[in-house]
Amino acid sequence: MRMIAVLIPALLLAACSQPAPPAEPAVDAPPPMEARAAATPAAEPAKPAADPASTAPTAMDEPAADARARIETLLGDAAQYEKVFNTFKTAVIGGDRAAVVEEVRFPLNISGGKKITGPGEFQRNYEKIITPAVVKAVSEQDFSKVFVNQQGVMIGDGQVWLNGQCLDQACTKTEVKVITIQ
Protein backbone atom coordinates (compact mmCIF):
# COMPACT_ATOMS: atom_id res chain seq x y z
CA MET A 1 0.00 0.00 0.00
CA ARG A 2 2.81 2.35 0.85
CA MET A 3 4.32 1.69 -2.63
CA ILE A 4 1.09 2.77 -4.31
CA ALA A 5 0.99 5.96 -2.27
CA VAL A 6 4.44 6.86 -3.63
CA LEU A 7 3.78 5.78 -7.21
CA ILE A 8 0.44 7.56 -7.74
CA PRO A 9 1.82 11.13 -7.35
CA ALA A 10 4.84 10.25 -9.52
CA LEU A 11 2.61 8.84 -12.26
CA LEU A 12 0.31 11.85 -12.14
CA LEU A 13 3.28 14.20 -12.48
CA ALA A 14 4.66 12.17 -15.38
CA ALA A 15 1.29 12.22 -17.13
CA CYS A 16 1.08 16.01 -16.82
CA SER A 17 4.64 16.81 -17.84
CA GLN A 18 5.34 18.39 -21.22
CA PRO A 19 7.34 16.51 -23.87
CA ALA A 20 10.91 17.65 -24.44
CA PRO A 21 11.27 20.26 -27.19
CA PRO A 22 12.83 19.04 -30.44
CA ALA A 23 16.62 19.28 -30.54
CA GLU A 24 18.08 22.32 -32.29
CA PRO A 25 19.93 21.48 -35.53
CA ALA A 26 23.71 21.74 -35.51
CA VAL A 27 25.12 25.14 -36.45
CA ASP A 28 26.74 23.74 -39.60
CA ALA A 29 23.73 21.65 -40.63
CA PRO A 30 22.20 22.67 -43.95
CA PRO A 31 18.74 24.17 -43.70
CA PRO A 32 15.74 21.88 -44.24
CA MET A 33 14.54 21.50 -47.81
CA GLU A 34 11.54 23.79 -47.33
CA ALA A 35 13.60 26.55 -45.71
CA ARG A 36 16.32 26.23 -48.32
CA ALA A 37 13.82 26.61 -51.15
CA ALA A 38 12.28 29.67 -49.51
CA ALA A 39 15.63 31.29 -48.64
CA THR A 40 17.22 30.80 -52.04
CA PRO A 41 16.30 33.29 -54.78
CA ALA A 42 15.13 31.62 -57.96
CA ALA A 43 17.40 33.54 -60.32
CA GLU A 44 20.67 35.41 -60.17
CA PRO A 45 20.69 39.22 -60.27
CA ALA A 46 19.90 40.90 -63.57
CA LYS A 47 22.81 41.37 -65.95
CA PRO A 48 23.47 44.57 -67.90
CA ALA A 49 21.24 44.95 -70.94
CA ALA A 50 24.24 44.99 -73.31
CA ASP A 51 25.12 41.43 -72.25
CA PRO A 52 23.70 38.92 -74.79
CA ALA A 53 23.56 36.30 -72.02
CA SER A 54 20.97 38.40 -70.20
CA THR A 55 18.17 36.53 -71.94
CA ALA A 56 16.33 33.75 -70.14
CA PRO A 57 18.69 31.31 -68.41
CA THR A 58 19.12 27.88 -69.92
CA ALA A 59 18.86 24.64 -67.99
CA MET A 60 22.68 24.60 -67.78
CA ASP A 61 22.66 27.97 -65.95
CA GLU A 62 20.23 26.93 -63.22
CA PRO A 63 22.59 24.92 -60.96
CA ALA A 64 25.23 27.64 -61.18
CA ALA A 65 22.59 30.25 -60.38
CA ASP A 66 21.51 28.18 -57.37
CA ALA A 67 25.09 27.88 -56.03
CA ARG A 68 25.62 31.59 -56.55
CA ALA A 69 22.28 32.41 -54.89
CA ARG A 70 23.16 30.26 -51.85
CA ILE A 71 26.54 32.00 -51.58
CA GLU A 72 24.93 35.44 -51.91
CA THR A 73 22.36 34.54 -49.25
CA LEU A 74 24.76 33.01 -46.73
CA LEU A 75 28.23 34.42 -47.39
CA GLY A 76 28.25 37.47 -49.64
CA ASP A 77 29.73 38.20 -53.07
CA ALA A 78 29.42 34.99 -55.13
CA ALA A 79 31.62 36.39 -57.91
CA GLN A 80 34.52 36.70 -55.47
CA TYR A 81 34.06 33.05 -54.37
CA GLU A 82 33.90 31.88 -57.97
CA LYS A 83 37.07 33.79 -58.88
CA VAL A 84 39.04 32.26 -55.98
CA PHE A 85 37.59 28.81 -56.76
CA ASN A 86 38.67 29.02 -60.42
CA THR A 87 42.12 30.44 -59.64
CA PHE A 88 42.77 27.82 -56.94
CA LYS A 89 41.53 24.98 -59.17
CA THR A 90 43.76 26.08 -62.08
CA ALA A 91 46.78 26.41 -59.78
CA VAL A 92 46.25 23.01 -58.13
CA ILE A 93 45.72 21.20 -61.43
CA GLY A 94 48.75 22.93 -62.96
CA GLY A 95 50.95 22.27 -59.92
CA ASP A 96 51.67 26.01 -59.57
CA ARG A 97 52.74 26.15 -55.91
CA ALA A 98 53.14 29.93 -55.85
CA ALA A 99 49.64 30.48 -57.23
CA VAL A 100 48.18 27.95 -54.76
CA VAL A 101 49.81 29.81 -51.84
CA GLU A 102 48.34 33.11 -53.07
CA GLU A 103 44.81 31.71 -52.61
CA VAL A 104 45.39 30.46 -49.03
CA ARG A 105 44.70 32.31 -45.76
CA PHE A 106 47.10 31.57 -42.93
CA PRO A 107 46.96 29.99 -40.49
CA LEU A 108 45.61 27.23 -42.73
CA ASN A 109 43.65 24.36 -41.17
CA ILE A 110 44.87 20.97 -42.36
CA SER A 111 43.96 17.39 -41.52
CA GLY A 112 44.44 16.16 -37.98
CA GLY A 113 43.49 19.52 -36.46
CA LYS A 114 46.91 20.96 -37.36
CA LYS A 115 47.63 24.43 -38.71
CA ILE A 116 50.13 25.73 -41.25
CA THR A 117 51.28 29.15 -40.07
CA GLY A 118 52.72 30.69 -43.22
CA PRO A 119 53.71 30.36 -46.88
CA GLY A 120 57.18 28.92 -46.14
CA GLU A 121 55.79 26.12 -44.00
CA PHE A 122 53.14 25.49 -46.66
CA GLN A 123 55.77 25.19 -49.41
CA ARG A 124 57.90 22.80 -47.31
CA ASN A 125 54.86 20.56 -46.72
CA TYR A 126 53.20 21.04 -50.12
CA GLU A 127 53.10 17.32 -51.06
CA LYS A 128 51.65 16.41 -47.65
CA ILE A 129 48.93 19.08 -47.98
CA ILE A 130 48.10 18.98 -51.69
CA THR A 131 47.75 15.22 -51.88
CA PRO A 132 46.53 13.27 -54.93
CA ALA A 133 43.11 13.02 -53.21
CA VAL A 134 42.96 16.83 -52.86
CA VAL A 135 44.03 17.32 -56.50
CA LYS A 136 41.35 14.83 -57.62
CA ALA A 137 38.61 16.50 -55.54
CA VAL A 138 39.53 19.98 -56.78
CA SER A 139 39.89 18.96 -60.42
CA GLU A 140 36.53 17.16 -60.46
CA GLN A 141 34.56 19.90 -58.65
CA ASP A 142 32.28 22.13 -60.69
CA PHE A 143 31.51 25.53 -59.14
CA SER A 144 27.82 25.12 -59.92
CA LYS A 145 27.71 22.05 -57.66
CA VAL A 146 29.60 23.29 -54.60
CA PHE A 147 28.10 22.74 -51.17
CA VAL A 148 27.46 26.01 -49.33
CA ASN A 149 26.67 26.62 -45.67
CA GLN A 150 27.45 29.23 -43.02
CA GLN A 151 31.02 27.89 -42.73
CA GLY A 152 31.84 28.54 -46.37
CA VAL A 153 32.06 26.82 -49.75
CA MET A 154 33.10 23.17 -49.74
CA ILE A 155 35.08 21.51 -52.52
CA GLY A 156 34.80 17.74 -52.90
CA ASP A 157 33.79 15.93 -49.74
CA GLY A 158 35.33 18.57 -47.52
CA GLN A 159 38.89 18.36 -48.81
CA VAL A 160 38.95 22.14 -49.32
CA TRP A 161 36.91 24.98 -47.80
CA LEU A 162 36.75 28.61 -48.94
CA ASN A 163 35.45 31.48 -46.85
CA GLY A 164 35.59 35.25 -46.65
CA GLN A 165 37.12 37.45 -43.98
CA CYS A 166 36.02 41.00 -43.22
CA LEU A 167 38.65 43.61 -44.02
CA ASP A 168 36.92 46.49 -42.24
CA GLN A 169 34.84 47.03 -39.12
CA ALA A 170 31.53 47.22 -41.02
CA CYS A 171 32.44 44.18 -43.12
CA THR A 172 31.76 46.06 -46.34
CA LYS A 173 34.95 44.61 -47.86
CA THR A 174 35.84 40.94 -47.65
CA GLU A 175 38.66 38.75 -48.86
CA VAL A 176 37.86 35.17 -49.91
CA LYS A 177 40.59 32.58 -49.45
CA VAL A 178 41.09 28.87 -48.90
CA ILE A 179 40.82 28.28 -45.15
CA THR A 180 41.05 24.46 -44.91
CA ILE A 181 42.77 21.70 -46.89
CA GLN A 182 42.46 18.15 -45.61
Side-chain angles (χ1 to χ4, degrees):
M1 189 70 164
R2 184 168 184 204
M3 177 77 95
I4 293 174
V6 172
L7 287 176
I8 290 177
L11 290 173
L12 288 174
L13 283 174
C16 294
S17 67
Q18 298 293 320
E24 290 293 321
V27 173
D28 62 345
M33 291 297 282
E34 300 80 32
R36 180 176 28 220
T40 304
E44 64 182 336
K47 296 178 182 174
D51 184 356
S54 64
T55 59
T58 65
M60 293 298 288
D61 293 335
E62 290 175 17
D66 185 52
R68 286 181 189 89
R70 293 252 323 133
I71 291 169
E72 291 283 341
T73 300
L74 295 172
L75 304 171
D77 183 13
Q80 194 175 11
Y81 281 85
E82 188 170 13
K83 180 181 179 217
V84 171
F85 171 89
N86 290 331
T87 303
F88 182 75
K89 181 175 180 176
T90 300
V92 167
I93 292 170
D96 185 348
R97 292 177 179 217
V100 170
V101 168
E102 288 298 316
E103 300 307 317
V104 171
R105 178 180 308 123
F106 296 99
L108 173 70
N109 300 311
I110 62 170
S111 60
K114 298 177 185 172
K115 292 190 183 287
I116 299 295
T117 58
E121 185 180 2
F122 184 89
Q123 293 288 7
R124 288 189 300 277
N125 294 289
Y126 187 87
E127 289 83 14
K128 294 177 185 173
I129 300 167
I130 306 295
T131 63
V134 170
V135 173
K136 183 176 191 274
V138 170
S139 65
E140 292 177 352
Q141 183 68 59
D142 183 0
F143 185 75
S144 67
K145 296 177 181 160
V146 294
F147 173 78
V148 181
N149 71 10
Q150 299 84 350
Q151 295 179 341
V153 172
M154 181 178 80
I155 297 175
D157 292 324
Q159 287 89 345
V160 178
W161 282 85
L162 309 172
N163 205 346
Q165 179 178 26
C166 294
L167 298 177
D168 60 5
Q169 194 71 9
C171 203
T172 58
K173 296 179 183 179
T174 59
E175 178 182 52
V176 175
K177 294 281 188 177
V178 173
I179 60 168
T180 301
I181 302 175
Q182 31 192 6

